[in-house]
Amino acid sequence: MEYLIGIIVFLPGLVSLLLGAFWLLGIELSERMVARLTGLCYLISTGSILILLGMMLQTGQNEVRLSLGNWFEAGEYHFPLLLVIDRLSMPLVMLSTVLVGVIGAFSVRYLHRDPGYHRFFILLNIFGFGITLLFTAGSFDMIIGGWELVGLTSVLLIGFFQYRDEPVRSAIRVFLTYRVCDIGLLTGVALLHHYAGTAIFTQLFNATGGTWPQGGSTLGNGAATLVGLLLLLGAMGKAAQIPFSGWLPRAMEGPTPSSAIFYGALSVHAGAYLLLRAQPLIGSSKVVTGAVIVVGLLTAIHGTMVGRACADAKTAIGYAAMAQLGIIFVEIGFGLQWIALLHITGHAVVRTLQFLRAPSMLHDHHRIHAAAGGHLGETGNHFELIIPRRLRSWLYRLAIEQGHHDTLIERLGIGPIIRLAAFLTKVEARWTAIIIAQAPNPAAPLSSRNSLRSMKRFQIDSINRTMERADV
Amino acid sequence: MSEKMLFPWISLGITILAVTTIWTWRQSSAEKARRGATIGLLATFLTMLATGLEAFRGHGNPLAEPLPVGEGVFSADPLNGLLLPLYSGLTLGMIVLAPRRKVTPRWLSGLLILAVMTLTAYAANNLAVFALAWTATLIPFLKRHFFSQTEEHALPPASRIILTVSAILLVCGTILLIMLSAGPTLLERLSLSQPRIVQSGESLLAYAAFTTLLLAIILRKGLFPAHSWVAPSFENGPLIPLTLLFNGHLGAFALARLVLPLLPGISNTALPLVGDLGLLTAGLAAVLAISERSPRRLLALLSISQSSFIVTGLESSNQDAVAGALVHWQVVVVATSVLTAVYAGIEARLGTPLEGRSLLGLARSAPRLAVFFAIAGLALVGLPLTLGFVAEDLLLHGTLETHPQLGFILPVVTALNAFHIIRLFATIFLGRPSNSALTIPDALPRERWVLTAAIVLLILGGLFPALLVRLPVDAAEHILKTVLSSATLSH
């Protein structure tokens, strides 16, 4: 029965490899063929996970493992390929196979005759592989594999409409945020190896037996705090938590089906999944649990506030998702794992539906309006009424400015790095002039200034303003 | 060295390549020269592949060539068994990929001289041969007959001076090593396969040899503060030959072949400094690239940054780390070569170097080149399911004990470099294409085959890394075994 896990995880990867190889060899598959291959893949995957669930229920097993030996080994170090389906991963894997299948079916018409049709399906299948790998990983090392693939496909789909500059800029911004936060995950996992000598879940958390959510951390308090905070940093990036939430509205540049599957359903929940998986470690440090709760609360407030002032449907849904993710973080912080898991599952389904219906929102409204005989009640004015009028308008302005989030990030985060790079470039230019044994080139500082200015056209406007300030 | 190879593959391969070089030099037709060079390199690649297979048959022991005369000049061991096929295959691929308008018989012969000398340095079992070959790799860059014939400029004067100084230092270091070595005959004193070369690990002469060699390595490898020669050279110099020169990584090779095994006592105490210099260079290049827009300079900074980890891994004296460094070596060589070749192809198509001021949108007309570029770039920065991920994983785990700071620096540097790769990719391939960009051809058949082979190597190496990791693990074991026996002997 454990081989069913292999089918669920590797089948989407195989399909994406197949589609990619056909494209590279110049063999043009019809849209129908691509759609059928993808549909069949997720039908088999969903069937497999259902069979697996049935067998687990029948035998009373809480966990099924598939060990594929060592991926590679060198000296005493080896990288075990271990896939696990347990009470945490089962609902999420089931959700993934069903939702990716649904999105695939939806996209057949949505992207009909789009020049990027094949590209979309290759990326969707890579995402399907990445997300199931992430949810079934038996170690943090394997989580990194799925994590990176999910992030990369997310970025490539945000820049899907590559002939416009804005989606490309947004994709780069999102990629930058992901990579900054991935530093937390990668460093955290490296430290896990350093402190515990392993990154396998069972060896880390279930040394005394039992499966998720039972178990405890084998690390000391200091190590658990450090590793927990780093993992939290990684989770914050994927889950668009404050202060790394600025990428989520920009991610809406991608096609609607990808927005649904990434920012409504699965990708944004990967961060919460990471925290749930590392719950024994996080729960053993009060600092980390406190940080998780504070981050979640701030994000929930920010998401709710800004979302209510958004003018377009997809961004409003994005902010609503961000607010719910904040609440999920709070639940995890309080140790309510089952509620968090239930919340993730329900939230993913609802958001997918909302995103997929977003392009037809006006049409839906008119239909409901007509069905109600033109007597639909006004929306809004519920929670707002409890806030004093003056504060309300101030909060509205703050929400329109997205809580000055981007400005703060520019000044405190990106600005110093850009200034450091500018300074080092100037030093480098002068150093090069010295070793070339010429008089310092008067254009050298200018060229570094020009090179910084070139980023203005290329990166987001917010970065540019900071760079100009740094450049003076 | 009691065991011998079944056939003198190395001598055969190097002879074929030397003859091809002379033949190419004398040609007047570029097309004929190119065809001859390709055939010659293909034959050399096959002989080097055979050498690699023999080297791993030797279970880590060096194998001498079965020759009546000249025995001991070349030998095969797991380290060069890995590098000889890799470098000859790389040169072959680059010659096939080189834009035709750049290729002249002299340009080709310059590239072939570089290949012959790099392969000779890899295979050398003799200090004098090694030093001469190491120095001779620079001939095509120092003489104006070779690469400055085309529209590209020659290497900047400062780069030429730095490379010349590195060669002089290496020769001086080698002479000091010969003075330090013990043995009844000169041939034995020159031998690299015997772990008996250095009499005393801690003498003043040994320190002088160590310092001289280390300076040569720092200059050649482009480690801080000598990193500054690489970017201006990439910006103004001949791109493909420079990529081959840089990807020979003869600085790192000298570290593994000379410094570690021949001066084990000093290496133990002083080499961590080199590891830290590698980390500093990696970080500095990644930060400098933030404010860089020129694609050529960006490629140079990416190459410096990623390849600096090789030195840190080699210096760690831990099997995982050394194996990781060698896998990373393969990844850097293949991935940066693909990036450079694709970029050079694009420059040739557009007829001008790119400035990186705006998005060019070339993916519309050259989607395959875009995919090759993206995969190679992401493999370079450790994308999962590519060989790059395996290399970084091994490096990280192997060096955590000796360089715990790498656990932080490696993720930060690769994160920054991944951002630069995506930025460069977006500049070249994404955005609204101009009219001139719409007419450029996608990957030509010759380009497609070579680039596909490279990408398949990176992806299959990531999916099924066991074989590609086994060879570096054997090589790492060989390096550490040599270091250990030398250390024991010097005590």
Side-chain angles (χ1 to χ4, degrees):
Chain A
M1 120 168 117
E2 61 270 17
Y3 286 100
L4 289 170
I5 308 175
I7 293 174
I8 296 161
V9 175
F10 295 115
L11 200 56
L14 198 66
V15 172
S16 58
L17 265 182
L18 207 65
L19 293 178
F22 278 136
W23 176 80
L24 204 63
L25 294 170
I27 302 168
E28 282 227 358
L29 292 180
S30 66
E31 283 190 3
R32 185 177 289 182
M33 178 59 90
V34 173
R36 279 186 183 170
L37 261 175
T38 306
L40 186 67
C41 163
Y42 290 100
L43 201 66
I44 294 171
S45 291
T46 309
S48 303
I49 190 78
L50 286 174
I51 294 169
L52 194 64
L53 175 67
M55 291 166 97
M56 283 170 78
L57 287 174
Q58 201 175 25
T59 53
Q61 275 180 276
N62 287 331
E63 187 181 272
V64 178
R65 289 183 201 190
L66 173 64
S67 176
L68 297 167
N70 288 332
W71 190 22
F72 58 90
E73 45 196 305
E76 289 175 9
Y77 174 70
H78 57 271
F79 190 119
L81 278 179
L82 189 64
L83 298 173
V84 178
I85 293 266
D86 59 5
R87 285 180 286 190
L88 173 59
S89 49
M90 171 58 85
L92 294 173
V93 172
M94 200 181 288
L95 199 66
S96 304
T97 55
V98 171
L99 289 183
V100 178
V102 167
I103 293 296
F106 181 87
S107 307
V108 173
R109 289 198 177 178
Y110 190 86
L111 291 171
H112 178 51
R113 291 192 178 172
D114 189 287
Y117 185 92
H118 286 72
R119 182 158 44 100
F120 178 86
F121 276 91
I122 291 172
L123 291 174
L124 184 71
N125 282 303
I126 295 177
F127 168 74
F129 170 59
I131 199 79
T132 45
L133 181 66
L134 196 160
F135 288 150
T136 55
S139 68
F140 282 106
D141 290 323
M142 287 193 69
I143 278 195
I144 291 174
W147 190 271
E148 299 284 351
L149 287 178
V150 167
L152 185 68
T153 45
S154 161
V155 168
L156 293 175
L157 281 169
I158 292 165
F160 182 78
F161 299 114
Q162 62 195 40
Y163 307 129
R164 288 192 286 122
D165 286 1
E166 204 49 45
V168 176
R169 289 194 186 110
S170 297
I172 292 170
R173 171 65 184 247
V174 174
F175 188 71
L176 179 62
T177 315
Y178 275 175
R179 291 306 299 186
V180 167
C181 294
D182 288 354
I183 292 170
L185 177 65
L186 296 173
T187 317
V189 174
L191 281 177
L192 264 180
H193 278 278
H194 184 64
Y195 288 128
T198 181
I200 298 172
F201 302 142
T202 45
Q203 292 173 9
L204 278 170
F205 306 137
N206 305 106
T208 52
T211 55
W212 189 90
Q214 295 152 3
S217 167
T218 51
L219 298 185
N221 190 44
T225 304
L226 185 58
V227 174
L229 287 174
L230 287 167
L231 293 182
L232 173 63
L233 173 64
M236 284 161 72
K238 275 279 189 296
Q241 299 292 292
I242 287 277
F244 303 106
S245 55
W247 66 265
L248 192 61
R250 292 184 173 87
M252 299 306 157
E253 294 282 357
T256 295
S258 72
S259 300
I261 196 72
F262 281 90
Y263 317 115
L266 299 172
S267 176
V268 283
H269 290 112
Y273 169 80
L274 179 70
L275 294 185
L276 281 175
R277 187 52 89 187
Q279 177 65 33
L281 192 144
I282 287 166
S284 68
S285 164
K286 285 187 178 151
V287 176
V288 183
T289 48
V292 172
I293 293 167
V294 169
V295 165
L297 270 177
L298 287 175
T299 309
I301 294 166
H302 176 76
T304 306
M305 192 178 74
V306 179
R308 294 177 86 80
C310 277
D312 70 291
K314 272 176 76 176
T315 312
I317 298 171
Y319 274 106
M322 191 193 293
Q324 291 301 316
L325 282 160
I327 296 169
I328 292 169
F329 266 51
V330 174
E331 290 160 0
I332 295 169
F334 280 117
L336 307 168
Q337 293 113 302
W338 286 111
I339 293 178
L341 184 56
L342 202 65
H343 197 160
I344 290 173
T345 316
H347 183 235
V349 176
V350 171
R351 290 291 172 227
T352 307
L353 182 68
Q354 283 184 337
F355 268 112
L356 293 183
R357 294 302 300 169
S360 337
M361 196 173 269
L362 270 179
H363 181 70
D364 288 353
H365 178 78
H366 288 147
R367 273 179 56 189
I368 296 167
H369 192 259
H375 299 297
L376 275 182
E378 277 188 22
T379 57
N381 294 333
H382 302 301
F383 302 112
E384 287 88 344
L385 292 176
I386 58 172
I387 301 171
R389 185 181 288 271
R390 245 186 226 176
L391 185 61
R392 213 185 304 163
S393 57
W394 181 80
L395 279 175
Y396 182 70
R397 275 207 309 278
L398 195 65
I400 288 282
E401 290 284 338
Q402 296 169 354
H404 301 293
H405 171 271
D406 282 353
T407 316
L408 287 171
I409 291 291
E410 287 156 27
R411 286 193 182 171
L412 303 175
I414 299 168
I417 296 170
I418 298 283
R419 278 195 289 274
L420 174 69
F423 171 73
L424 288 175
T425 305
K426 285 176 187 174
V427 172
E428 178 76 8
R430 287 188 187 278
W431 166 243
T432 309
I434 290 166
I435 61 165
I436 288 174
Q438 289 174 346
N441 183 358
L446 192 67
S447 74
S448 70
R449 192 174 298 155
N450 282 343
S451 63
L452 285 175
R453 282 195 182 135
S454 73
M455 291 172 74
K456 276 185 217 162
R457 296 187 199 89
F458 198 75
Q459 302 205 11
I460 55 154
D461 295 338
S462 54
I463 296 181
N464 303 330
R465 284 198 297 275
T466 314
M467 282 197 310
E468 277 193 331
R469 279 196 294 275
D471 200 32
V472 175
Chain B
M1 219 172 14
S2 54
E3 286 189 74
K4 286 192 191 299
M5 292 168 75
L6 292 174
F7 190 81
W9 294 114
I10 302 173
S11 298
L12 178 68
I14 287 176
T15 311
I16 291 173
L17 203 54
V19 171
T20 310
T21 308
I22 296 164
W23 181 84
T24 309
W25 175 262
R26 295 165 66 93
Q27 294 307 305
S28 53
S29 153
E31 191 48 42
K32 200 175 166 190
R34 184 190 180 108
R35 230 175 290 144
T38 310
I39 292 168
L41 262 167
L42 185 64
T44 306
F45 171 64
L46 293 175
T47 58
M48 295 304 161
L49 209 58
T51 309
L53 292 175
E54 286 238 28
F56 290 98
R57 185 181 57 82
H59 306 291
N61 298 315
L63 302 175
E65 288 199 303
L67 288 174
V69 284
E71 186 184 327
V73 173
F74 297 130
S75 70
D77 59 47
L79 177 61
N80 65 22
L82 182 75
L83 298 176
L84 288 169
L86 182 70
Y87 195 78
S88 50
L90 176 75
T91 315
L92 174 64
M94 288 305 249
I95 282 190
V96 175
L97 288 173
R100 299 215 166 176
R101 56 187 292 187
K102 292 197 190 313
V103 174
T104 62
R106 294 198 167 186
W107 188 91
L108 277 172
S109 49
L111 219 59
L112 293 176
I113 290 173
L114 174 62
V116 173
M117 291 307 154
T118 307
L119 294 177
T120 307
Y122 284 160
N125 185 36
N126 181 301
L127 269 173
V129 175
F130 176 83
L132 283 175
W134 208 82
T135 309
T137 51
L138 302 177
I139 290 172
F141 296 92
L142 302 180
K143 300 290 283 178
R144 286 198 171 270
H145 305 296
F146 297 98
F147 303 129
S148 54
Q149 297 291 314
T150 55
E151 75 277 12
E152 281 179 323
H153 304 296
L155 222 53
S159 306
R160 277 189 271 158
I161 292 169
I162 287 175
L163 288 171
T164 312
V165 171
S166 80
I168 293 168
L169 286 169
L170 187 102
V171 171
C172 293
T174 312
I175 292 169
L176 290 172
L177 275 180
I178 296 168
M179 287 164 68
L180 277 164
S181 62
T185 63
L186 179 66
L187 204 61
E188 286 198 13
R189 289 171 70 183
L190 288 173
S191 171
L192 272 166
S193 63
Q194 303 297 331
R196 59 162 170 262
I197 197 150
V198 177
Q199 301 161 329
S200 160
E202 306 287 333
S203 71
L204 194 65
L205 207 57
Y207 271 106
F210 179 81
T211 313
T212 319
L213 288 173
L214 210 58
L215 283 174
I217 289 167
I218 287 172
L219 291 175
R220 176 76 185 242
K221 186 81 187 70
L223 293 179
F224 177 84
H227 63 284
S228 301
W229 73 266
V230 185
S233 305
F234 268 64
E235 190 175 26
N236 300 311
L239 198 57
I240 288 182
L242 263 170
T243 307
L244 277 174
L245 177 76
F246 192 77
N247 277 335
H249 293 298
L250 280 180
F253 186 75
L255 186 73
R257 187 59 105 204
L258 297 189
V259 180
L260 281 171
L262 301 186
L263 297 160
I266 306 172
S267 299
N268 265 344
T269 50
L271 267 190
L273 176 73
V274 181
D276 291 337
L277 271 186
L279 291 180
L280 180 65
T281 314
L284 181 65
V287 174
L288 285 174
I290 292 175
S291 56
E292 194 52 70
R293 69 163 180 230
S294 154
R296 276 176 169 245
R297 288 179 67 91
L298 210 47
L299 279 174
L301 290 171
L302 279 166
S303 301
I304 301 172
S305 181
Q306 287 299 121
S307 65
S308 296
F309 291 122
I310 296 173
V311 180
T312 311
L314 283 178
E315 172 274 316
S316 293
S317 300
N318 165 305
Q319 195 182 357
D320 303 352
V322 177
L326 294 175
V327 180
H328 193 62
W329 187 325
Q330 298 176 69
V331 174
V332 169
V333 164
V334 176
T336 55
S337 302
V338 170
L339 293 178
T340 314
V342 170
Y343 176 77
I346 295 229
E347 250 190 24
R349 282 164 169 81
L350 293 174
T352 172
L354 310 183
E355 292 186 349
R357 287 170 189 272
S358 55
L359 305 181
L360 293 171
L362 298 181
R364 184 154 183 177
S365 43
R368 285 185 178 82
L369 285 180
V371 170
F372 291 133
F373 191 91
I375 295 177
L378 292 168
L380 181 66
V381 291
L383 175 76
L385 305 184
T386 64
L387 195 57
F389 181 76
V390 177
E392 283 187 6
D393 194 67
L394 276 173
L395 255 179
L396 199 61
H397 288 104
T399 46
L400 262 181
E401 293 305 317
T402 48
H403 293 284
Q405 67 273 34
L406 188 80
F408 174 70
I409 292 176
L410 185 70
V412 172
V413 169
T414 49
L416 276 175
N417 287 342
F419 170 64
H420 301 322
I421 284 285
I422 289 288
R423 198 157 63 90
L424 188 58
F425 173 76
T427 310
I428 300 173
F429 292 106
L430 303 184
R432 182 186 293 279
S434 63
N435 287 339
S436 61
L438 280 172
T439 54
I440 69 160
D442 196 5
L444 304 170
R446 67 182 164 87
E447 292 174 323
R448 206 180 290 179
W449 286 112
V450 175
L451 292 172
T452 304
I455 295 301
V456 165
L457 181 75
L458 290 173
I459 292 180
L460 283 188
L463 290 174
F464 310 104
L467 177 69
L468 284 178
V469 171
R470 217 205 95 207
L471 309 184
V473 168
D474 284 0
E477 201 180 334
H478 167 71
I479 292 172
L480 294 176
K481 207 164 72 181
T482 319
V483 173
L484 195 70
S485 52
S486 301
T488 315
L489 213 72
S490 68
H491 279 299

